[in-house]
Amino acid sequence: MPDRGGGPTGPRIRVGRPSRRVRTLLMTLGVLAVLGMAFTMFAGFWTDWLWYRSVNYSSVFTTTLWTKIGLFFVFGLLMALAVGFNIWLAHRLRPPLSAMSMEQQNLDRYRMGIAPYKKWLLLGITALVGLIAGASASGQWRTWLMWVNGVPFGEKDPQFKLDVSFYAFDLPWYRFLLGFGFAAAILSVIAAALTHYLYGGLRVTSPGARATAAATGHLSVLIGVFVALKAVAYWLDRYGLAVKSSDFRATDNWTGLRYVDANAYLPAKTILFCIAVICALLFFATLWRRTWQLPVIGFGLMVLSAILIGGLYPAIVQKFQVQPNEQAKEAPYVEKNLEATRKAYGIDGTKVTDYSGTSKTEDKTKLRDDVDSTASVRIMDPNIVSPTFQQLQQIRNYYAFPTNLDVDRYAKDGKDQDTVIGLRELNLAGIPKKNWINNHFRYTHGYGAVAAEGTSADAQGRPNFTESDLPSEGDLGTYEQRVYYGEKTTTYSIVGGPQKEIDYSDDNGEKTTSYKGDSGVNLSNPVNRAAYAVAFGEPQILYSGAIGDGSRILYNRTPKERVESVAPWLTIDGDAYPAVVDGKIQWIVDAYTTTNGYPYSSRTTLGDTTADSLTATNDSRAVVAQQNQVNYIRNSVKATVDAYTGKVKLYQWDTKDPVLKTWMKAFPNTVEPKSDISKPLMDHLRYPQDLFKVQRELLTRYHVKDATTFLSGSEVWQVPDDPTNRSGSAVPPYYLSMKMPDQQAQAFSLTTTFTPNGRDNLSAFMAVDAEAGTSDYGKIRILKLPTNTTVNGPKQVQSQFNSQEDIAESIRLLRGGDSEVEYGNLLTVPLDGGLLYVEPVYVRGGGLKYPLLRKVLVTYGGQTAFENTLDEALNKVFGAEGASPEPPADGDTTPPPTSDNPTVQQALEDAQKAFDAGQDALKKNDWEAYGKAQKDLEDALRRAEDAQAAESRTGGAGGGENKPSDKPSGSPSGSPSPKPSS
């Protein structure tokens, strides 16, 4: 070929087609890439299906999957048809091109460029918008299922007299449909306008008419559809006022109509609806009139009306009618909010009783016996003693206990007692040698439960174990001890095949086992192995010789994860707890049904409301919320997860909850009836903590029932911060067995305290009967203290503990060397009109890396004791025995005999010597010497207290030089040391 470039001639390099081998290689690589992506997608789908089938909840997977697929195709197809049809119609209505202007000549090259690909371009655009719309719609599967399966509440809202189910189930679906309609209308207008412009139906710079009659009619109809949808939106907004959040009384969680809503916004929305309907008709009329004049005027009128009627008028009503007399105007609506909120959160049955806060009995010795019958005071704090369990009962490094243990009830000698319990779970960080086989085949499970009495400790301050050692033995009887599913089990294991598992070790060496359960997915199928190799990114699963006949893969192994997976419509409580039931370890998981559409009920944010000082340091305690903002909640499901088989069971707990009934219609045969709960399991069910925390937060404002008090804000409470640490987070609720003043016997309860808003004194004490299966289960009782007297709250009590000189000096000695002092749960118990506070004090001393109970702080009626045991502290506070002598009568200044009252300084020097001796004994692991030193320390501290009391009675006679200073060196200054991380 001749050279047409005008340049020098020479040898030419001819670029030919790739060789057949290269083309074949490229095609092969392309096919393999497509197959690889396809198999990756298949692997995710297939492993999910296998897992749901393995737990016998395949119906949840199929129902969810088919619902998502159906919504994807229906709404994707509708969006594609809407946009595609309007593009096609705009092209069909294009004008003939003649005497083209410069604008059209510039567009002509674009028209010519896309002409050969018009069909493909149309298909591509419609497919893209269809995919996006379908993907968005598939995410609404919960909304669809609740709408199509909705069950009536049997309750009507006070404004529109509609069943609550309309707001909870219907309105969210109608709003989705409306939003989809708006999106389709807007995209259709944009697509049609661009097509009309490209083909000359719309003109921007050309002389003459800006739009053809056909384009005018087409676009007017589309805009009319948009305005008609806006009319529907105005109509639905009327009902939306019943569930609308607003900023009222310094809270943005207020829900429901107020005076301005009922008297300004509601009529405004009705007027705007009528205007929008008229405006839409004017747009549709352009099909005959072919002019934009009237529609544009109507649209402008609608916009102006929205500003004046929908914005300005309500502001005027609020300013000139409501604000001058807000209490009278808002009171009827506040009463509706009070009633709806209390009902939606299950606090409408709360019993509020006035409580004096001061004891009525002058002789306190008579109350000593009443303490034991009033409460089983728990001095083993499950949030402190986990390291002690770890040190004394871990046995092997590849076992571990959760950071926070649990409180349950177990019978001993025919009587239920509060018990601290934890499972010895698998700890992969502690295995001797880490590799793939050890991590996933040999070390696969934990072993046994460990339990201790909650109300006592041994002489060394250690827990009194009722179930201990390896294998575990004790009061819990015989049960399957292997723990394949637990809170710390977050990785997969492959069991049941040719590779044996480490069971446990004893003096005779390692014991091995092979999993006999039917849990997990069978890996004998090569397709399954390939799918899991891809899904887990572990190719060894495909070819490892450690996998053979009978091999099963276990994953999704934490209790909360399993319950959430099989019931994705439930909100999961943050604290799953283990119980030994019928010879098996069962994890018990509380689950909630929620909605954000209960009319007039104020909203709460679950993540914030359920946060406390425990969740601040332990993320695993956080609630697993499907819907974070809610205004209705029920503990409708109790779930169990077998620690050996992983079997999940869901039990219907709230038989009246319409939200649960709706989900049970959507997912039939997934929730078992309440009657199937066995008596042994019922004995371990309890009132859930997260629900209690939500309710107590609402009760800070909604304990009042009249609008006047609510509006005044004079009775607003707050949940106090945890006084035992410096997290700045709310105090967690505490489980303990106790009886309220109107109860005849102790009941397992969940308790908390309230303080006035912005102050630290006590305003109320709250307890709920947490013992499932009893007639009073779930009954909330509040003891309201008088507002004209001051009763110390938790922070003030803690500060009082820390500020007393003798206690501060004792704590300084306990904290000596490299020891650390940790304050346990500050428990509050109502007693004879007053309030008894009890707080265990733990010490991590010397070489010991775990806390031991060393002291118990008790205060009642202004009397405080800091003793070695709870009994000693109670005896001292109530003067039952061993109490300090009474102060002398007025005018009696005779000092006591000096022989019976050694100086404070001498006693403290003896205490320091005993403490040092104890530290030396610890370093030498001489436990006998350590125990003797601790006894000497206790004797010295008691002598110091007696001497201090004697000096205070004599005004310091005989010991003025030796009196400790107000702030001993190293003593706390009003606030306790933070709890070190476990």
Side-chain angles (χ1 to χ4, degrees), residues 13-39:
I13 300 175
R14 182 175 181 178
V15 180
R17 295 176 63 190
S19 66
R20 177 176 296 177
R21 179 179 298 176
V22 173
R23 292 200 305 273
T24 303
L25 178 61
L26 292 175
M27 290 180 63
T28 303
L29 291 175
V31 171
L32 289 176
V34 171
L35 290 176
M37 289 188 291
F39 190 78

mmCIF file of all heavy atoms in Angstrom, residues 13-39:
data_model
loop_
_atom_site.group_PDB
_atom_site.id
_atom_site.type_symbol
_atom_site.label_atom_id
_atom_site.label_comp_id
_atom_site.label_asym_id
_atom_site.label_seq_id
_atom_site.Cartn_x
_atom_site.Cartn_y
_atom_site.Cartn_z
ATOM 1 N N ILE A 13 6.068 -2.176 9.960
ATOM 2 C CA ILE A 13 5.734 -3.238 10.918
ATOM 3 C C ILE A 13 4.246 -3.480 10.810
ATOM 4 O O ILE A 13 3.432 -2.594 11.071
ATOM 5 C CB ILE A 13 6.120 -2.833 12.348
ATOM 6 C CG1 ILE A 13 7.616 -2.572 12.428
ATOM 7 C CG2 ILE A 13 5.683 -3.892 13.346
ATOM 8 C CD1 ILE A 13 8.071 -2.064 13.745
ATOM 9 N N ARG A 14 3.893 -4.647 10.441
ATOM 10 C CA ARG A 14 2.494 -4.990 10.281
ATOM 11 C C ARG A 14 1.989 -5.656 11.552
ATOM 12 O O ARG A 14 2.511 -6.669 11.995
ATOM 13 C CB ARG A 14 2.317 -5.936 9.098
ATOM 14 C CG ARG A 14 0.866 -6.289 8.838
ATOM 15 C CD ARG A 14 0.742 -7.119 7.602
ATOM 16 N NE ARG A 14 -0.652 -7.445 7.337
ATOM 17 C CZ ARG A 14 -1.046 -8.145 6.279
ATOM 18 N NH1 ARG A 14 -0.166 -8.555 5.386
ATOM 19 N NH2 ARG A 14 -2.333 -8.395 6.122
ATOM 20 N N VAL A 15 0.979 -4.999 12.148
ATOM 21 C CA VAL A 15 0.383 -5.546 13.371
ATOM 22 C C VAL A 15 -0.758 -6.453 12.979
ATOM 23 O O VAL A 15 -1.809 -5.990 12.529
ATOM 24 C CB VAL A 15 -0.121 -4.416 14.295
ATOM 25 C CG1 VAL A 15 -0.727 -5.005 15.556
ATOM 26 C CG2 VAL A 15 1.011 -3.461 14.625
ATOM 27 N N GLY A 16 -0.543 -7.709 13.122
ATOM 28 C CA GLY A 16 -1.565 -8.669 12.739
ATOM 29 C C GLY A 16 -2.404 -9.103 13.928
ATOM 30 O O GLY A 16 -2.214 -8.669 15.057
ATOM 31 N N ARG A 17 -3.362 -9.954 13.704
ATOM 32 C CA ARG A 17 -4.206 -10.489 14.771
ATOM 33 C C ARG A 17 -3.386 -11.428 15.642
ATOM 34 O O ARG A 17 -2.424 -12.054 15.167
ATOM 35 C CB ARG A 17 -5.379 -11.251 14.167
ATOM 36 C CG ARG A 17 -6.327 -10.370 13.374
ATOM 37 C CD ARG A 17 -7.408 -11.220 12.717
ATOM 38 N NE ARG A 17 -8.215 -11.892 13.738
ATOM 39 C CZ ARG A 17 -9.106 -12.842 13.456
ATOM 40 N NH1 ARG A 17 -9.281 -13.235 12.209
ATOM 41 N NH2 ARG A 17 -9.817 -13.388 14.427
ATOM 42 N N PRO A 18 -3.712 -11.552 16.930
ATOM 43 C CA PRO A 18 -2.992 -12.500 17.782
ATOM 44 C C PRO A 18 -3.111 -13.913 17.225
ATOM 45 O O PRO A 18 -4.083 -14.265 16.548
ATOM 46 C CB PRO A 18 -3.724 -12.375 19.134
ATOM 47 C CG PRO A 18 -4.429 -11.066 19.086
ATOM 48 C CD PRO A 18 -4.772 -10.837 17.645
ATOM 49 N N SER A 19 -2.135 -14.709 17.536
ATOM 50 C CA SER A 19 -2.150 -16.089 17.065
ATOM 51 C C SER A 19 -3.304 -16.841 17.709
ATOM 52 O O SER A 19 -3.882 -16.411 18.713
ATOM 53 C CB SER A 19 -0.828 -16.771 17.418
ATOM 54 O OG SER A 19 -0.701 -16.878 18.826
ATOM 55 N N ARG A 20 -3.604 -17.988 17.107
ATOM 56 C CA ARG A 20 -4.712 -18.782 17.621
ATOM 57 C C ARG A 20 -4.452 -19.222 19.050
ATOM 58 O O ARG A 20 -5.368 -19.245 19.880
ATOM 59 C CB ARG A 20 -4.913 -19.998 16.715
ATOM 60 C CG ARG A 20 -6.014 -20.925 17.228
ATOM 61 C CD ARG A 20 -6.263 -22.066 16.272
ATOM 62 N NE ARG A 20 -6.757 -21.548 14.990
ATOM 63 C CZ ARG A 20 -7.014 -22.336 13.940
ATOM 64 N NH1 ARG A 20 -6.820 -23.644 14.033
ATOM 65 N NH2 ARG A 20 -7.453 -21.810 12.801
ATOM 66 N N ARG A 21 -3.196 -19.544 19.365
ATOM 67 C CA ARG A 21 -2.875 -19.985 20.721
ATOM 68 C C ARG A 21 -3.137 -18.874 21.734
ATOM 69 O O ARG A 21 -3.688 -19.115 22.813
ATOM 70 C CB ARG A 21 -1.413 -20.408 20.778
ATOM 71 C CG ARG A 21 -0.969 -20.871 22.162
ATOM 72 C CD ARG A 21 0.470 -21.297 22.168
ATOM 73 N NE ARG A 21 0.684 -22.435 21.288
ATOM 74 C CZ ARG A 21 1.893 -22.973 21.048
ATOM 75 N NH1 ARG A 21 2.961 -22.454 21.632
ATOM 76 N NH2 ARG A 21 2.007 -24.002 20.239
ATOM 77 N N VAL A 22 -2.741 -17.622 21.372
ATOM 78 C CA VAL A 22 -2.958 -16.496 22.279
ATOM 79 C C VAL A 22 -4.445 -16.236 22.454
ATOM 80 O O VAL A 22 -4.931 -16.001 23.558
ATOM 81 C CB VAL A 22 -2.240 -15.245 21.757
ATOM 82 C CG1 VAL A 22 -2.598 -14.023 22.617
ATOM 83 C CG2 VAL A 22 -0.728 -15.459 21.759
ATOM 84 N N ARG A 23 -5.183 -16.281 21.324
ATOM 85 C CA ARG A 23 -6.620 -16.048 21.420
ATOM 86 C C ARG A 23 -7.291 -17.108 22.277
ATOM 87 O O ARG A 23 -8.170 -16.812 23.095
ATOM 88 C CB ARG A 23 -7.249 -16.045 20.018
ATOM 89 C CG ARG A 23 -6.825 -14.865 19.161
ATOM 90 C CD ARG A 23 -7.805 -14.637 18.016
ATOM 91 N NE ARG A 23 -8.015 -15.806 17.194
ATOM 92 C CZ ARG A 23 -7.266 -16.144 16.149
ATOM 93 N NH1 ARG A 23 -6.244 -15.373 15.808
ATOM 94 N NH2 ARG A 23 -7.529 -17.230 15.449
ATOM 95 N N THR A 24 -6.857 -18.347 22.083
ATOM 96 C CA THR A 24 -7.419 -19.433 22.893
ATOM 97 C C THR A 24 -7.115 -19.233 24.369
ATOM 98 O O THR A 24 -7.977 -19.437 25.243
ATOM 99 C CB THR A 24 -6.863 -20.788 22.421
ATOM 100 O OG1 THR A 24 -7.148 -20.962 21.031
ATOM 101 C CG2 THR A 24 -7.464 -21.923 23.226
ATOM 102 N N LEU A 25 -5.879 -18.808 24.672
ATOM 103 C CA LEU A 25 -5.488 -18.572 26.059
ATOM 104 C C LEU A 25 -6.311 -17.451 26.674
ATOM 105 O O LEU A 25 -6.798 -17.559 27.810
ATOM 106 C CB LEU A 25 -4.001 -18.243 26.135
ATOM 107 C CG LEU A 25 -3.452 -17.926 27.540
ATOM 108 C CD1 LEU A 25 -3.639 -19.122 28.460
ATOM 109 C CD2 LEU A 25 -1.970 -17.534 27.450
ATOM 110 N N LEU A 26 -6.461 -16.350 25.912
ATOM 111 C CA LEU A 26 -7.240 -15.223 26.424
ATOM 112 C C LEU A 26 -8.689 -15.610 26.649
ATOM 113 O O LEU A 26 -9.299 -15.237 27.666
ATOM 114 C CB LEU A 26 -7.152 -14.046 25.448
ATOM 115 C CG LEU A 26 -5.778 -13.375 25.340
ATOM 116 C CD1 LEU A 26 -5.798 -12.314 24.242
ATOM 117 C CD2 LEU A 26 -5.366 -12.749 26.669
ATOM 118 N N MET A 27 -9.265 -16.355 25.702
ATOM 119 C CA MET A 27 -10.639 -16.792 25.868
ATOM 120 C C MET A 27 -10.775 -17.709 27.089
ATOM 121 O O MET A 27 -11.746 -17.609 27.861
ATOM 122 C CB MET A 27 -11.132 -17.510 24.614
ATOM 123 C CG MET A 27 -11.334 -16.594 23.402
ATOM 124 S SD MET A 27 -11.918 -17.493 21.965
ATOM 125 C CE MET A 27 -13.488 -18.089 22.560
ATOM 126 N N THR A 28 -9.793 -18.587 27.253
ATOM 127 C CA THR A 28 -9.840 -19.499 28.399
ATOM 128 C C THR A 28 -9.764 -18.738 29.716
ATOM 129 O O THR A 28 -10.521 -19.008 30.658
ATOM 130 C CB THR A 28 -8.683 -20.506 28.320
ATOM 131 O OG1 THR A 28 -8.762 -21.220 27.086
ATOM 132 C CG2 THR A 28 -8.732 -21.480 29.493
ATOM 133 N N LEU A 29 -8.847 -17.745 29.763
ATOM 134 C CA LEU A 29 -8.733 -16.943 30.977
ATOM 135 C C LEU A 29 -10.017 -16.170 31.248
ATOM 136 O O LEU A 29 -10.457 -16.046 32.398
ATOM 137 C CB LEU A 29 -7.549 -15.977 30.860
ATOM 138 C CG LEU A 29 -6.151 -16.617 30.865
ATOM 139 C CD1 LEU A 29 -5.079 -15.560 30.621
ATOM 140 C CD2 LEU A 29 -5.896 -17.336 32.194
ATOM 141 N N GLY A 30 -10.627 -15.640 30.198
ATOM 142 C CA GLY A 30 -11.884 -14.904 30.372
ATOM 143 C C GLY A 30 -12.988 -15.802 30.890
ATOM 144 O O GLY A 30 -13.743 -15.422 31.810
ATOM 145 N N VAL A 31 -13.101 -17.005 30.300
ATOM 146 C CA VAL A 31 -14.130 -17.945 30.759
ATOM 147 C C VAL A 31 -13.884 -18.350 32.201
ATOM 148 O O VAL A 31 -14.812 -18.426 33.023
ATOM 149 C CB VAL A 31 -14.158 -19.181 29.838
ATOM 150 C CG1 VAL A 31 -15.055 -20.258 30.430
ATOM 151 C CG2 VAL A 31 -14.632 -18.799 28.446
ATOM 152 N N LEU A 32 -12.596 -18.593 32.543
ATOM 153 C CA LEU A 32 -12.273 -18.978 33.918
ATOM 154 C C LEU A 32 -12.597 -17.853 34.899
ATOM 155 O O LEU A 32 -13.079 -18.106 36.025
ATOM 156 C CB LEU A 32 -10.794 -19.359 34.027
ATOM 157 C CG LEU A 32 -10.392 -20.674 33.353
ATOM 158 C CD1 LEU A 32 -8.883 -20.883 33.446
ATOM 159 C CD2 LEU A 32 -11.119 -21.857 33.999
ATOM 160 N N ALA A 33 -12.325 -16.606 34.484
ATOM 161 C CA ALA A 33 -12.635 -15.469 35.351
ATOM 162 C C ALA A 33 -14.136 -15.372 35.604
ATOM 163 O O ALA A 33 -14.581 -15.156 36.738
ATOM 164 C CB ALA A 33 -12.105 -14.176 34.733
ATOM 165 N N VAL A 34 -14.925 -15.546 34.534
ATOM 166 C CA VAL A 34 -16.385 -15.489 34.680
ATOM 167 C C VAL A 34 -16.867 -16.633 35.565
ATOM 168 O O VAL A 34 -17.707 -16.442 36.460
ATOM 169 C CB VAL A 34 -17.066 -15.530 33.299
ATOM 170 C CG1 VAL A 34 -18.569 -15.687 33.460
ATOM 171 C CG2 VAL A 34 -16.740 -14.284 32.506
ATOM 172 N N LEU A 35 -16.327 -17.837 35.311
ATOM 173 C CA LEU A 35 -16.727 -18.980 36.131
ATOM 174 C C LEU A 35 -16.313 -18.784 37.588
ATOM 175 O O LEU A 35 -17.046 -19.166 38.507
ATOM 176 C CB LEU A 35 -16.102 -20.261 35.578
ATOM 177 C CG LEU A 35 -16.655 -20.756 34.236
ATOM 178 C CD1 LEU A 35 -15.867 -21.973 33.768
ATOM 179 C CD2 LEU A 35 -18.138 -21.096 34.357
ATOM 180 N N GLY A 36 -15.126 -18.171 37.797
ATOM 181 C CA GLY A 36 -14.665 -17.925 39.162
ATOM 182 C C GLY A 36 -15.593 -16.976 39.900
ATOM 183 O O GLY A 36 -15.954 -17.220 41.054
ATOM 184 N N MET A 37 -15.982 -15.898 39.228
ATOM 185 C CA MET A 37 -16.905 -14.954 39.868
ATOM 186 C C MET A 37 -18.264 -15.604 40.118
ATOM 187 O O MET A 37 -18.874 -15.395 41.169
ATOM 188 C CB MET A 37 -17.054 -13.709 38.981
ATOM 189 C CG MET A 37 -15.812 -12.820 38.953
ATOM 190 S SD MET A 37 -16.088 -11.256 38.079
ATOM 191 C CE MET A 37 -16.269 -11.848 36.400
ATOM 192 N N ALA A 38 -18.702 -16.392 39.138
ATOM 193 C CA ALA A 38 -19.989 -17.059 39.310
ATOM 194 C C ALA A 38 -19.944 -18.046 40.473
ATOM 195 O O ALA A 38 -20.887 -18.128 41.274
ATOM 196 C CB ALA A 38 -20.383 -17.778 38.017
ATOM 197 N N PHE A 39 -18.845 -18.796 40.585
ATOM 198 C CA PHE A 39 -18.754 -19.770 41.674
ATOM 199 C C PHE A 39 -18.616 -19.076 43.026
ATOM 200 O O PHE A 39 -19.119 -19.574 44.049
ATOM 201 C CB PHE A 39 -17.581 -20.722 41.461
ATOM 202 C CG PHE A 39 -17.582 -21.884 42.419
ATOM 203 C CD1 PHE A 39 -18.420 -22.968 42.225
ATOM 204 C CD2 PHE A 39 -16.759 -21.876 43.543
ATOM 205 C CE1 PHE A 39 -18.444 -24.025 43.125
ATOM 206 C CE2 PHE A 39 -16.766 -22.927 44.436
ATOM 207 C CZ PHE A 39 -17.615 -24.008 44.232
#
